Amino acid sequence: MRYRRHALSLSVRRLAGVAITVAWLAWGTMGALAAGPDEIDRGLEQFRQMMTADPWANPALLDADRGAALWRRRAGPRNVSLERCDLGKGPGVVDGAFAALPRYFRDAGRVMDTETRLIWCMEHLQGIPAAQLTETPHPASGQPVRDLGAITTWIASRSDGKSFGAPFRHPREKATLALGRELFFRRSGPFDFSCATCHGTENKRIRRQGLAMLIDPAEARKVVGEWPAYRVSSTHVMTLQHRLYDCFWQMRMPELKLGSELAVALTAYLVKQAEGGVIAAPGIKR
Amino acid sequence: MSLRPPGSNDESIAMRPLIAIGFLLAIGVLLVAPAPMVMADSGRSAGPVIGERQVRRVLRSGFPALPAGWETRLVPDETMATCADIRGEVPKEIGERIKARERARIVYPQDGQFLGDWRRGEAIAQSGYGMRFTDTTAQRPNGGNCYACHQLSPDEVSYGTIGASLKGFGRIHKFRPEDARIAYEKIYNSQAIVACSMMPRFGANGILSIEQIKDLVALLMDPASPVNREEPAGGSASSAQPEPTQPAPLPQGKARP
């Protein structure tokens, strides 16, 4: 994607695409609601096809543009940009970085995914306290994704078309992966749920929503690469860590801390399951 | 949502014996099939061993804003610790131990009645409210969120399929009082009926009250409940459809600019 050269014309094109999509979706939803069960499935399928038919109509692209600008903008007490941030491929290298994360970073002494690494860069390069970034990290319904999420969306979009390929060779990376797997199957809380309750069996739905069987690599490869994604139902971009935060809410677990070892471990498990899957970020979802 | 399925089920009558045979075969398969198999994920045994102490440390740091009394949510009880380690079928001996332990935790209604009010039951089945970190000052009673996983009333088309379809449950069980008791036990403590069931222990874990569980039993077992209506509200025969068709797969290879 050429962000710099045709920025103005692209933005206009995107806005027009977004408006058309919104009108289409409204029409498609009304059609589905007037029908019986089979028609509902067909209507929902039509709805999904409308969402993805015009790749320029994904509102997440506007957030990716915002993220690109934020990456280059001087900010924080030290008034520097993030252009020296090392996402694993050297300072300032963004292309393909998302596809190789999570990984172990020696300077930080821990395994990090994209969001966690960005927090680290904003703290260590720009001087922004991490606590400030993780206090209310996710947008409420109707609010745009926060700056950190917008930058994440842009970074992910710069691996669009590449495959998940984090090597998980370092002992700390292996340990994080094993931890993520353990956590995925752990059942606790008043509802006795684990991640596998919803994502461990083939072809299931919650209410009307299809569930991805994430323990099956073939299925993980299809869906993990669609995050960050624009969620039509909440009208904002959701990053993968925000999605996990919402899962834990539904599971009756406490608030997941952005950038925590817990969030990184589960992300590592999902990315490993999706290994070789093509990244199609940002995605768009119902 | 209250939506009516279309009224077309004009399958040839000559097909019915075949369908019946197919149905019986399907039941046979279900009876001998093991519990839902968990497919091989990416090599559990290959990685480093993760200890319980490490997991608890990671959970505590990952959930720093722990509301009062929520510490226990991070730690599985004996039954859940056992179930999390089992991939696939539960060994018989372990299963019997779990069921006996969990059965002892069931508290029965003092009046000996298992059926409450199905209308209240329907509201409880629809509600997903309660016990989330946004619900700490409870605004209304907890819900059972039954429709998230089960089909119940034919009027509700937005239902999940993680659990079995319960449409026609009371009718199928001929409204037997014994089955009302089993339904109560299953909702109160699912682990007493099926070891390592994926269903929450609504009574034993304090999600729903005894009265609420009775209302849910009425939703299942009361002849007047919509769950047991012979025909859907639209007056068609399509309630005979066992499962909705799965949505068509998404077209592959979405074009990118």
Side-chain angles (χ1 to χ4, degrees):
Chain A
M1 281 187 253
R2 279 171 245 123
Y3 282 92
R4 281 171 230 186
R5 280 178 211 166
H6 310 294
L8 182 66
S9 66
L10 288 186
S11 289
V12 169
R13 209 173 145 190
R14 281 170 198 185
L15 280 170
V18 169
I20 291 165
T21 305
V22 168
W24 264 13
L25 296 180
W27 176 73
T29 312
M30 286 190 308
L33 289 178
D38 292 347
E39 279 90 329
I40 289 167
D41 286 331
R42 277 197 288 274
L44 287 172
E45 184 47 36
Q46 194 182 8
F47 181 102
R48 288 188 195 98
Q49 283 174 6
M50 284 172 177
M51 284 194 302
T52 52
D54 176 3
W56 287 108
N58 185 348
L61 294 174
L62 300 169
D63 295 293
D65 278 359
R66 179 161 65 94
L70 287 165
W71 175 267
R72 297 184 193 108
R73 197 184 68 186
R74 291 160 181 258
R78 297 200 194 119
N79 198 33
V80 293
S81 79
L82 287 166
E83 287 164 304
R84 298 295 299 162
C85 176
D86 183 354
L87 296 169
K89 291 187 173 294
V93 181
V94 177
D95 287 357
F98 180 81
L101 289 170
R103 56 158 284 171
Y104 176 73
F105 286 91
R106 245 194 12 214
D107 54 8
R110 56 175 292 214
V111 177
M112 295 168 150
D113 67 338
T114 307
E115 290 167 82
T116 309
R117 185 60 182 172
L118 266 178
I119 294 171
W120 191 89
C121 283
M122 288 166 107
E123 184 173 36
H124 288 82
L125 296 177
Q126 299 181 316
I128 301 168
Q132 197 179 308
L133 300 163
T134 59
E135 199 183 341
T136 46
H138 307 302
S141 186
Q143 289 180 349
V145 70
R146 300 208 188 287
D147 288 354
L148 188 81
I151 303 169
T152 304
T153 305
W154 174 64
I155 293 170
S157 77
R158 296 292 291 254
S159 284
D160 183 44
K162 293 190 163 63
S163 304
F164 282 115
F168 295 107
R169 270 195 294 266
H170 190 280
R172 295 286 298 273
E173 293 167 355
K174 286 180 184 166
T176 298
L177 191 57
L179 178 65
R181 191 180 295 118
E182 188 72 26
L183 290 162
F184 190 88
F185 289 99
R186 185 179 176 91
R187 289 183 72 172
S188 71
F191 279 56
D192 295 332
F193 288 158
S194 73
C195 304
T197 305
C198 283
H199 300 289
T201 323
E202 208 177 351
N203 254 333
K204 297 291 180 190
R205 317 192 302 227
I206 184 161
R207 284 280 184 166
R208 202 80 205 179
Q209 176 63 50
L211 294 162
M213 184 188 183
L214 296 170
I215 61 164
D216 175 7
E219 205 149 323
R221 281 195 286 269
K222 275 189 257 171
V223 296
V224 178
E226 292 178 342
W227 299 93
Y230 183 81
R231 293 269 299 226
V232 175
S233 51
S234 50
T235 66
H236 57 216
V237 164
M238 227 181 192
T239 63
L240 190 58
Q241 287 211 23
H242 187 185
R243 189 66 199 83
L244 293 172
Y245 175 96
D246 256 29
C247 281
F248 279 124
W249 172 80
Q250 194 64 268
M251 292 164 76
R252 274 71 183 176
M253 295 296 273
E255 286 187 75
L256 174 65
K257 186 179 178 184
L258 181 68
S260 61
E261 210 179 331
L262 172 58
V264 173
L266 283 167
T267 301
Y269 175 72
L270 295 179
V271 165
K272 178 66 180 173
Q273 287 295 100
E275 189 173 34
V278 177
I279 293 158
I284 181 164
K285 288 170 181 291
R286 191 155 66 88
Chain B
M1 276 201 287
S2 178
L3 302 175
R4 284 154 193 196
S8 66
N9 191 20
D10 301 328
E11 284 293 319
S12 160
I13 290 170
M15 287 293 288
R16 285 191 183 164
L18 283 177
I19 292 167
I21 290 167
F23 187 63
L24 288 173
L25 281 174
I27 288 177
V29 169
L30 283 176
L31 286 175
V32 297
M37 276 295 291
V38 171
M39 275 188 42
D41 62 309
S42 52
R44 186 174 196 242
S45 51
V49 177
I50 302 296
E52 176 64 19
R53 268 181 61 192
Q54 188 194 352
V55 172
R56 287 194 197 180
R57 181 187 59 74
V58 169
L59 287 168
R60 282 311 300 256
S61 61
F63 295 128
L66 208 57
W70 279 41
E71 293 80 7
T72 52
R73 296 196 183 195
L74 309 188
V75 184
D77 68 4
E78 199 182 348
T79 297
M80 284 305 113
T82 307
C83 292
D85 281 338
I86 295 170
R87 307 281 192 274
E89 202 174 355
V90 183
K92 195 167 184 298
E93 200 181 306
I94 293 173
E96 292 307 318
R97 214 177 307 146
I98 288 171
K99 286 197 279 186
R101 176 169 61 228
E102 297 295 336
R103 178 162 291 277
R105 298 175 63 198
I106 297 178
V107 179
Y108 290 90
Q110 284 194 328
D111 58 5
Q113 298 294 314
F114 290 109
L115 268 69
D117 179 340
W118 68 261
R119 285 180 188 81
R120 285 199 304 256
E122 168 68 12
I124 295 163
Q126 289 283 2
S127 168
Y129 182 84
M131 301 180 101
R132 301 164 298 199
F133 57 71
T134 48
D135 305 332
T136 40
T137 48
Q139 302 290 313
R140 44 202 158 102
N142 290 343
N145 211 9
C146 312
Y147 282 105
C149 298
H150 295 283
Q151 183 181 28
L152 290 146
S153 164
D155 297 332
E156 179 53 87
V157 298
S158 181
Y159 59 85
T161 58
I162 296 171
S165 170
L166 301 173
K167 195 172 71 173
F169 185 88
R171 201 158 28 87
I172 289 161
H173 291 273
K174 300 191 164 46
F175 304 108
R176 284 185 294 259
E178 170 63 10
D179 289 312
R181 188 178 62 83
I182 294 171
Y184 178 90
E185 291 170 343
K186 171 82 177 179
I187 301 168
Y188 195 97
N189 192 340
S190 58
Q191 303 298 332
I193 311 292
V194 178
C196 299
S197 162
M198 291 199 279
M199 181 167 145
R201 295 170 281 182
F202 288 99
N205 280 4
I207 303 162
L208 299 176
S209 67
I210 288 174
E211 289 307 311
Q212 285 181 304
I213 295 172
K214 284 168 64 173
D215 293 338
L216 288 175
V217 174
L219 181 66
L220 292 171
M221 295 297 291
D222 191 322
S225 161
V227 167
N228 296 315
R229 197 163 54 225
E230 293 277 0
E231 302 286 296
S236 77
S238 47
S239 65
Q241 290 172 0
E243 271 297 319
T245 51
Q246 289 298 328
L250 277 174
Q252 293 298 305
K254 101 178 158 179
R256 301 287 300 177

